[in-house]
Amino acid sequence: MINKLLTCLLLGLCYQFAHAQPVTWIQGARYAGLANASVADSTIGNVSGNPAGIAGIGRPQVLLSYESRFRIEELSTRALAFVFPYQRQVFGWNVNFYGTDSYNEQLVSLNYARRFSERFSAGIRFNYHGLKIPEYTSQTAWSVAAGIQFKLLHNLAAGLQVSNPNQASFDRDLQARLPVFGEIGLLYAFSGKFIAVAAVQKAVGYRPDLKTGLEYRIHRLLAVRGGISTEPFKQYFGLGLSYRQWMMDMAASSHPILGFSPQVSLGYEF
Amino acid sequence: MGLRILRYTIVSISLAALCLNCLGQDPVDPLIEQVLESLPEEEKEQFDLVEFTGLLNDYLAHPLNLNTATAGELGSLLILNELQVQAILEHRELSGPFRNVLELQSVDRLDLPLVRKLLPFVTVSEEQKEPPGLGGQAGLSHEVLLRYSGILNSRKGYRDPPSYAGGPGRVLARYRITGSDLSFNLTLGKDPGESFFSSGQGFDSYSANLFLQDKGYLKKLVAGDYLLQFGQGVALWNGYSSNMGPAVLGVARQEAGIKPFRSSDESYFFRGAAATLEWGTVELTPFFSYKKLDAALEPDGEREWVSTIRRSGLHRTEGEIAGKHRLGETVAGIHLGVRPSRLFTAGATAYTTRFDKPLKRGEAPYQLFDFSGDELNLLAVNYQFGRRNYFLFGEVAHSLGSGSAFVNGILFSPAPFVSLAAAYRNYQKNYHAFYASPIGQQAAAGNERGWYMAADFRILDRWGLSLSADAFTFPWLRYRVNAPSNGYQLFSQLEYRPGKETLFYFRYRKRNHPAYRQTHIRFHTEYRLSRQVRLKNRVEYTSRRQEVRNQGFLAYQDVSWSIPPGRFHLDVRGAFFNTDDYYTRIYAYENDVLYASSFAFYYDKGTKFYLSGRWKVNRMLDCWLRYELLRFFDRDTIGSGDEEIEGSHRSDVRIQLRIKL
């Protein structure tokens, strides 16, 4: 009984404040420090972002991430991602778990991206969504996402992504919609050490969200990041450590009312 | 009463006839205007541009020597942010003294438009600053300024029977003596409605000070009225302060220490004496002040306590006159500063404020943490540390017996022509400081927390992009806000300068406040049409949602006409405005006589027209004249209460004379 109550409360909460990002999956702590404005960038975090965004990866990589949303354990996400390049193609696989025993969402996706030329790449992703509330319901749904990226100048890149254009969702009586959105963005590298990213995301039923982030590599081993998004207004901070093939990132976003959501990722490049 | 107005009007019109060719302004006034336009507009109550325009005009007359200027002097121009100041000092250290002002172009982080803005205020020379002497003994210069302002329409408070004690004119008289290391200033003022000589009292407000500097160990000494600025303003700072405005990196302040007081504001200054003594890298500033404030008092048995302190300086009606100078305030304290290297400065401030009658807080819940009592003691510590491409700053203060406040921040330049700023502030709800003015959303320091982030990009000497975001929280209740609240503010400005005197900019501002949401959009252009004529256009729109949605709109066209070489100058403006209510009012900078330029606000529906001119008669005498006509649509009266005017239009006139010896 209490579980049901808690579940309804959580669902209610999620819906109410879901004018936060309408997604429960995460893109890794590096992008979390950049306001998730990843659409024009090309690193492993994009296995849950712009499908074309993994096309630039040269070596197999794995990424393990954990986010504690608003520091509430029941609202945490755990994710594991893996990318594998082969000739001009890159394959990506990722799995996200969100929630606890009484309410959880799973996402498993397969990503395929290809570099068509020096300047242009495209990708597509198939998502399997699962939603489980014990003793109440257990549902699945499929959705698709596609994206492209192109290099405008040697230090300026642009990206475009659409997610779930077919508006797949769970059973109608569940009132749990899978987000449908489009996103467009830019990446500008001022120097080898300092980049700026910006993106606008428009999800159906929400106002357009402008996200911007900056990353500065202080040192070969350390980078700092910061960002802002406008719908709702949130601030992001992050730190990245890299040592040889290892990468560890930490980030937190601050919602004005709900508080901090820390995220941490550990990655390895083979 | 009517006769007096008539007399004043006749005098003004004859002077106007005389000065009808009154066109004259230094060609560098547009530069002062540009600097002022980068200041935040919707100001906290006691905003007085006089001090700042006075400073800029002084630097025009006696430019700052780049080879001897301190970080404080360079920062006081408000044209440079802290990173740029550090870049100039570093260039001086590494490449030796400047040989020519144009060398500024080779300094890191100063792009061409910025150098152009800075040039009129700086110079390069081996010698000490020269006194301006045109005559006068021992290199002293004398300046007398007389100003009269009046509204030509009659207001209710002046008609029979008058509720105001005096006439409707505003008078300002100022006498200044300036030397290379001393200055003396005397300011006399009368506000509209205050009595003037007829009741034997003369002017309503008097202010004077004598200021000495650079006498061996005595770096500064002031007797009379003065201002103090220390640290980041969390504990003690009066006078102008940069805040989160269009100059997005202005959050890092550069303290000025003691400043002689020169404006006509009647309450935010200190009256007494202060000195700065310097030994090597240590500096000590003891200060003392005693002055009388206007206050409304309530009796409580045998004693009286203060219900309100009035800071407007108006003494027109019986009630205002009765409250004049009823409260004695004593302030005394000391500031210690150390500068172990150019890069690192630290300081500590301790001072006490005592009243001769106690203040009592109100009883509403939002006033629960307000100050009460007759004594307030403050302690603060500040620091700043700058290196090649970053600058750290901060201050922590504690009001003994109540709360604390602090601000810490960083300015950082990760790539050429990109500068970032971040600052975190936390002023507890029970922190009190009457003379503090730190960065924040409110006028006073206390009951506020916030994170501020900003970025500034300068590209190719032509484009500029400034962005800032501030997320703030008010931990306790406020007037008409019944719970702790929060909000955020976004600012962005894109500017394009294709030529030396051409500017286009687009500004977008959004404020999400607990009680309302407001957006401002502005588009502004400036260009020089010919050697004699400059044009400016602006269009601004604001939209506010409080329970309903209201809008405001302003458009104006400015024409500036100079006859070179700077003898006559005229600024003309025609503006049209249409705002739904007072909250959707729009602020804009207006040209005025010297030292009187300000930000005026436009609200309701109507048009405004003004002419502001200067005639440089000869080396000794300058005269200014300004006439303004404000017309409202759909109105029978303007203003309310004693300030009410019959009719739908209002005319203002202002005349100023300056004699320099």
Side-chain angles (χ1 to χ4, degrees):
Chain A
M1 180 57 195
I2 299 261
N3 270 349
K4 271 219 183 110
L5 216 60
L6 185 67
T7 308
C8 293
L9 195 68
L10 286 174
L11 271 176
L13 250 181
C14 290
Y15 177 77
Q16 188 73 2
F17 294 107
H19 68 77
Q21 274 151 317
V23 298
T24 52
W25 57 83
I26 55 181
Q27 297 182 36
R30 174 162 178 265
Y31 287 139
L34 293 172
N36 291 315
S38 57
V39 70
D41 195 17
S42 49
T43 67
I44 186 175
N46 266 316
V47 280
S48 345
N50 184 347
I54 57 172
I57 296 175
R59 302 187 59 85
Q61 283 182 29
V62 69
L63 185 73
L64 179 66
S65 313
Y66 175 79
E67 181 199 50
S68 166
R69 193 163 289 201
F70 311 129
R71 292 190 292 172
I72 296 174
E73 207 197 299
E74 287 81 358
L75 304 181
S76 62
T77 308
R78 281 134 280 164
L80 178 66
F82 177 65
V83 291
F84 182 77
Y86 181 69
Q87 295 178 350
R88 290 190 119 187
Q89 287 125 177
V90 181
F91 296 90
W93 169 85
N94 113 20
V95 60
N96 266 248
F97 291 106
Y98 167 83
T100 57
D101 295 333
S102 28
Y103 174 92
N104 61 68
E105 293 178 18
Q106 309 100 40
L107 169 70
V108 181
S109 31
L110 277 173
N111 209 332
Y112 171 79
R114 188 193 168 101
R115 200 125 72 123
F116 287 95
S117 76
E118 257 287 322
R119 291 179 169 252
F120 180 73
S121 42
I124 190 165
R125 177 169 66 239
F126 299 97
N127 303 307
Y128 162 83
H129 304 267
L131 173 63
K132 191 162 173 175
I133 304 172
E135 292 164 42
Y136 183 59
T137 184
S138 175
Q139 309 247 348
T140 63
W142 285 90
S143 75
V144 89
I148 54 176
Q149 278 186 354
F150 39 96
K151 228 179 180 170
L152 299 167
L153 300 171
H154 74 100
N155 57 355
L156 178 65
L160 176 68
Q161 170 196 1
V162 286
S163 182
N164 195 12
N166 52 323
Q167 303 200 13
S169 72
F170 296 112
D171 264 2
R172 217 134 14 96
D173 45 280
L174 196 59
Q175 296 265 355
R177 284 231 177 97
L178 287 172
V180 179
F181 64 86
E183 189 169 333
I184 184 167
L186 294 171
L187 180 151
Y188 186 76
F190 286 89
S191 71
K193 293 195 205 177
F194 181 60
I195 64 167
V197 285
V200 178
Q201 178 186 73
K202 173 78 183 76
V204 168
Y206 300 89
R207 285 201 285 257
D209 183 14
L210 172 66
K211 313 185 268 199
T212 60
L214 298 169
E215 175 185 82
Y216 181 64
R217 181 153 289 282
I218 299 179
H219 187 259
R220 191 168 41 94
L221 304 173
L222 177 69
V224 289
R225 306 178 183 113
I228 283 181
S229 70
T230 59
E231 285 294 336
F233 181 75
K234 280 165 77 167
Q235 294 155 305
Y236 303 79
F237 309 97
L239 213 66
L241 300 159
S242 56
Y243 179 66
R244 300 211 189 155
Q245 293 127 302
W246 292 94
M247 292 161 293
M248 180 157 107
D249 298 291
M250 290 161 284
S253 70
S254 168
H255 186 281
I257 298 167
L258 298 169
F260 281 101
S261 302
Q263 189 174 145
V264 74
S265 304
L266 185 62
Y268 183 76
E269 181 179 283
F270 294 93
Chain B
M1 190 63 55
L3 202 59
R4 193 185 281 172
I5 295 176
L6 188 61
R7 239 185 295 146
Y8 284 148
T9 316
I10 290 179
V11 169
S12 352
I13 291 181
S14 10
L15 268 173
L18 199 70
C19 289
L20 206 52
N21 285 326
C22 261
L23 322 162
Q25 194 172 17
D26 287 333
V28 290
D29 263 345
L31 285 147
I32 292 188
E33 198 179 293
Q34 264 188 38
V35 178
L36 290 175
E37 288 259 359
S38 73
L39 306 179
E41 298 159 336
E42 287 139 31
E43 264 318 291
K44 312 168 171 186
E45 272 177 42
Q46 299 299 329
F47 179 46
D48 196 347
L49 275 175
V50 174
E51 182 207 322
F52 184 60
T53 50
L55 182 84
L56 288 179
N57 274 288
D58 279 356
Y59 281 137
L60 280 180
H62 314 297
L64 202 50
N65 185 348
L66 282 175
N67 288 325
T68 58
T70 63
E73 287 166 341
L74 287 169
S76 68
L77 288 171
L78 293 186
I79 299 173
L80 301 168
N81 63 53
E82 281 307 312
L83 288 174
Q84 290 159 339
V85 168
Q86 297 290 327
I88 291 179
L89 297 178
E90 202 174 276
H91 181 100
R92 209 162 74 187
E93 220 171 73
L94 297 176
S95 316
F98 286 89
R99 301 278 168 74
N100 186 299
V101 281
L102 296 175
E103 238 182 276
L104 280 173
Q105 289 174 83
S106 64
V107 176
D108 266 347
R109 265 175 250 134
L110 299 188
D111 66 351
L112 194 53
L114 184 67
V115 173
R116 281 196 201 121
K117 251 198 217 176
L118 200 52
L119 281 181
F121 304 102
V122 296
T123 184
V124 163
S125 93
E126 307 296 322
E127 305 125 39
Q128 289 298 319
K129 299 183 253 199
E130 309 246 12
L134 268 181
Q137 68 275 54
L140 291 175
S141 76
H142 303 252
E143 179 184 295
V144 174
L145 193 84
L146 296 167
R147 181 194 304 163
Y148 173 80
S149 322
I151 294 181
L152 298 182
N153 312 77
S154 107
R155 282 171 281 177
K156 198 151 155 206
Y158 300 97
R159 292 182 228 138
D160 254 328
S163 20
Y164 291 149
R170 184 194 302 265
V171 180
L172 180 79
R174 212 171 75 175
Y175 173 52
R176 244 178 36 133
I177 306 176
T178 319
S180 61
D181 54 7
L182 84 75
S183 76
F184 170 75
N185 189 78
L186 172 66
T187 308
L188 310 166
K190 171 191 119 52
D191 288 316
E194 290 170 350
S195 67
F196 187 50
F197 286 114
S198 55
S199 60
Q201 279 200 358
F203 284 92
D204 173 74
S205 74
Y206 295 83
S207 168
N209 59 66
L210 176 66
F211 179 69
L212 298 166
Q213 52 187 0
D214 298 326
K215 303 258 185 230
Y217 289 129
L218 189 67
K219 189 160 158 219
K220 288 187 192 176
L221 173 67
V222 71
D225 293 344
Y226 62 94
L227 303 172
L228 291 173
Q229 298 180 348
F230 296 123
Q232 295 295 322
V234 183
L236 182 54
W237 187 292
N238 39 19
Y240 184 73
S241 58
S242 63
N243 204 336
M244 304 173 296
V248 295
L249 299 167
V251 285
R253 305 247 186 103
Q254 188 61 252
E255 63 181 35
I258 297 175
K259 290 175 72 153
F261 177 68
R262 288 190 291 193
S263 82
S264 49
D265 172 73
E266 293 184 51
S267 80
Y268 284 107
F269 60 88
F270 294 124
R271 176 167 283 178
T276 298
L277 307 152
E278 187 181 35
W279 297 275
T281 58
V282 176
E283 200 178 85
L284 201 63
T285 307
F287 53 91
F288 173 80
S289 154
Y290 175 73
K291 70 179 202 283
K292 297 259 196 199
L293 296 170
D294 301 339
L297 305 174
E298 299 279 329
D300 177 22
E302 291 202 347
R303 297 204 65 188
E304 283 177 310
W305 52 273
V306 180
S307 63
T308 332
I309 298 183
R310 296 206 193 103
R311 301 221 180 235
S312 66
L314 294 171
H315 308 116
R316 314 164 293 189
T317 64
E318 266 186 46
E320 286 168 355
I321 295 174
K324 181 170 178 174
H325 295 172
R326 295 293 303 278
L327 179 66
E329 175 199 74
T330 311
V331 174
I334 192 159
H335 173 82
L336 170 71
V338 292
R339 181 185 293 271
S341 71
R342 172 178 68 75
L343 307 171
F344 178 58
T345 311
T349 315
Y351 77 101
T352 178
T353 312
R354 308 243 169 128
F355 299 107
D356 62 9
K357 300 176 184 64
L359 272 65
K360 204 156 150 182
R361 70 172 77 101
E363 312 215 318
Y366 79 89
Q367 294 167 311
L368 188 60
F369 296 100
D370 282 2
F371 176 78
S372 74
D374 57 8
E375 184 176 323
L376 176 65
N377 300 313
L378 278 156
L379 273 177
V381 173
N382 68 278
Y383 69 90
Q384 65 191 51
F385 181 73
R387 285 215 61 173
R388 154 115 11 108
N389 58 353
Y390 65 87
F391 183 80
L392 292 169
F393 59 94
E395 186 170 10
V396 181
H398 178 55
S399 48
L400 271 56
S402 42
S404 304
F406 68 82
V407 69
N408 285 297
I410 179 170
L411 293 186
F412 174 54
S413 178
F417 301 120
V418 179
S419 303
L420 308 174
Y424 178 70
R425 63 190 184 274
N426 190 333
Y427 314 142
Q428 288 188 320
K429 52 188 184 270
N430 58 347
Y431 173 73
H432 306 116
F434 295 111
Y435 291 103
S437 168
I439 59 165
Q441 294 288 338
Q442 305 176 96
N447 192 27
E448 182 173 337
R449 263 203 318 259
W451 253 114
Y452 172 83
M453 306 209 280
D456 184 86
F457 306 93
R458 301 279 131 193
I459 303 163
L460 296 174
D461 277 344
R462 281 179 183 207
W463 292 91
L465 178 64
S466 306
L467 304 167
S468 79
D470 185 47
F472 53 88
T473 304
F474 303 124
W476 187 241
L477 281 51
R478 300 170 72 223
Y479 178 61
R480 293 173 114 196
V481 181
N482 298 330
S485 51
N486 57 43
Y488 66 88
Q489 180 171 296
L490 301 174
F491 173 86
S492 62
Q493 176 162 313
L494 178 67
E495 48 185 78
Y496 177 55
R497 285 171 199 275
K500 203 160 107 151
E501 293 192 71
T502 315
L503 167 66
F504 300 93
Y505 75 78
F506 173 78
R507 185 185 285 191
Y508 172 82
R509 224 172 356 134
K510 177 173 174 189
R511 194 138 187 270
N512 197 347
H513 190 271
Y516 63 88
R517 280 182 208 199
Q518 189 155 15
T519 324
H520 287 259
I521 299 179
R522 173 195 296 185
F523 186 64
H524 178 102
T525 66
E526 293 182 13
Y527 41 92
R528 178 167 284 282
L529 209 56
S530 73
R531 256 186 7 132
Q532 296 186 350
V533 179
R534 269 181 81 232
L535 296 183
K536 269 201 301 182
N537 327 68
R538 177 178 300 183
V539 168
E540 186 161 345
Y541 169 79
T542 179
S543 160
R544 181 186 169 108
R545 181 180 300 237
Q546 193 159 348
E547 270 124 43
V548 286
R549 187 156 162 262
N550 282 323
Q551 299 175 84
F553 177 77
L554 167 70
Y556 71 67
Q557 174 72 54
D558 280 2
V559 180
S560 296
W561 183 27
S562 309
I563 296 183
R567 289 199 75 138
F568 299 132
H569 184 94
L570 180 70
D571 289 300
V572 181
R573 170 175 299 181
F576 165 78
F577 53 94
N578 184 342
T579 75
D580 288 338
D581 65 359
Y582 181 70
Y583 291 112
T584 44
R585 67 191 181 280
I586 297 178
Y587 283 81
Y589 173 81
E590 289 192 346
N591 300 92
D592 206 324
V593 305
L594 186 64
Y595 302 128
S597 308
S598 60
F599 289 108
F601 58 81
Y602 295 74
Y603 92 95
D604 212 344
K605 299 168 192 31
T607 62
K608 185 190 267 201
F609 165 76
Y610 73 65
L611 280 166
S612 177
R614 164 173 159 173
W615 178 24
K616 196 174 176 60
V617 179
N618 57 38
R619 268 203 316 186
M620 277 187 1
L621 179 63
D622 295 90
C623 100
W624 288 264
L625 175 70
R626 186 179 194 269
Y627 170 73
E628 173 182 301
L629 176 63
L630 180 61
R631 280 195 124 96
F632 290 102
F633 306 145
D634 311 328
R635 258 182 178 251
D636 293 320
T637 59
I638 300 175
S640 63
D642 285 328
E643 290 290 309
E644 194 182 274
I645 296 172
E646 295 261 342
S648 64
H649 66 270
R650 193 183 87 184
S651 308
D652 284 54
V653 93
R654 183 169 289 176
I655 299 168
Q656 178 165 289
L657 287 170
R658 180 177 69 177
I659 302 161
K660 278 210 287 206
L661 301 162

